[in-house]
Amino acid sequence: VQALAAITRQAKALLFPSRNESFGIPAAEAMAAGTAVLAANVSGIPEVVGDAGMLLPVDDEEAWYEALKMVLESADRRKDMEQKGRVRSELFHWSHCVERLVGGLKAG
């Protein structure tokens, strides 16, 4: 687990072209680590990534190529994605999830 976290922190980007994801934990983990996220615009992934990463059509190879090229060549854009990702990942911190669950149960 520690090795994976270290690799994720050192990566320039996470490419997440999954076709079937109910949530997208790898994207949330990458954003928390400060890694830019390029992800498929399917299932639950857009809810996780929001505007902190780039959402791409899963079958559009050219779009994935151009997005990755941009992230690798533009340090400013990559840093912006990293910063937004760190902020967005806080929405999915376990303590926040528990608070929302308890709040929902109390309201129901």
Side-chain angles (χ1 to χ4, degrees):
V1 172
Q2 290 177 347
L4 178 59
I7 291 168
T8 302
R9 282 191 302 274
Q10 293 173 9
K12 298 280 187 198
L14 169 75
L15 276 68
F16 193 48
S18 179
R19 295 176 185 280
N20 300 303
E21 288 295 325
S22 60
F23 181 72
I25 289 175
E29 290 174 339
M31 290 187 303
T35 300
V37 173
L38 308 177
N41 193 11
V42 298
S43 303
I45 297 172
E47 181 180 347
V48 173
V49 175
D51 68 349
M54 295 183 71
L55 296 168
L56 304 160
V58 72
D59 291 321
D60 189 342
E61 294 173 12
E62 185 67 23
W64 285 87
Y65 170 79
E66 291 299 326
L68 179 58
K69 182 178 173 187
M70 184 275 307
V71 167
L72 294 176
E73 292 179 351
S74 175
D76 289 340
R77 177 72 171 122
R78 187 173 60 251
K79 294 224 180 280
D80 182 56
M81 291 173 68
E82 292 166 355
Q83 182 180 29
K84 286 181 178 177
R86 282 189 187 101
V87 171
R88 181 141 183 99
S89 73
E90 286 297 316
L91 295 173
F92 305 105
H93 192 275
W94 288 115
S95 63
H96 296 295
C97 294
V98 170
E99 288 172 11
R100 288 193 301 265
L101 175 62
V102 170
L105 291 172
K106 286 181 179 178

